Amino acid sequence: FFAALYLCVPGLSQTGGVVSGEVLDGPDGAPIQGVHVRISYGGEQVGPTVTDRDGRFSLAVPRRHGGVLHLSHVGHVAVNMS
């Protein structure tokens, strides 16, 4: 059985130097608590932070483009989004 982490893209924003979102389980759409979330910009890393019980996270980020969002959680497939 493979499950995946999904980022609710409508909840993702990068305005004002903050990236926030919600991580949901693919099969049933339930929020996933305890997902490790970080963003990398080449050799620089922002975070990590961990999702709350509602699957939500927020990271203050530098004002630049081209970062990669990394999501990981035990028992789920890791996701990297650019």
Side-chain angles (χ1 to χ4, degrees):
F1 176 80
F2 289 95
L5 297 175
Y6 288 92
L7 179 66
C8 185
V9 176
L12 181 67
S13 64
Q14 191 171 358
T15 59
V18 174
V19 172
S20 60
E22 183 177 23
V23 181
L24 307 172
D25 188 38
D28 60 12
I32 305 174
Q33 180 177 4
V35 176
H36 291 261
V37 181
R38 65 183 175 85
I39 300 175
S40 62
Y41 297 93
E44 183 181 351
Q45 179 174 299
V46 177
T49 191
V50 178
T51 57
D52 65 16
R53 67 184 228 178
D54 296 319
R56 295 186 187 125
F57 70 90
S58 180
L59 282 170
V61 296
R63 296 184 187 273
R64 63 170 79 153
H65 299 284
V68 177
L69 181 67
H70 304 274
L71 305 166
S72 61
H73 190 266
V74 174
H76 291 82
V77 176
V79 173
N80 298 314
M81 300 176 71
S82 51

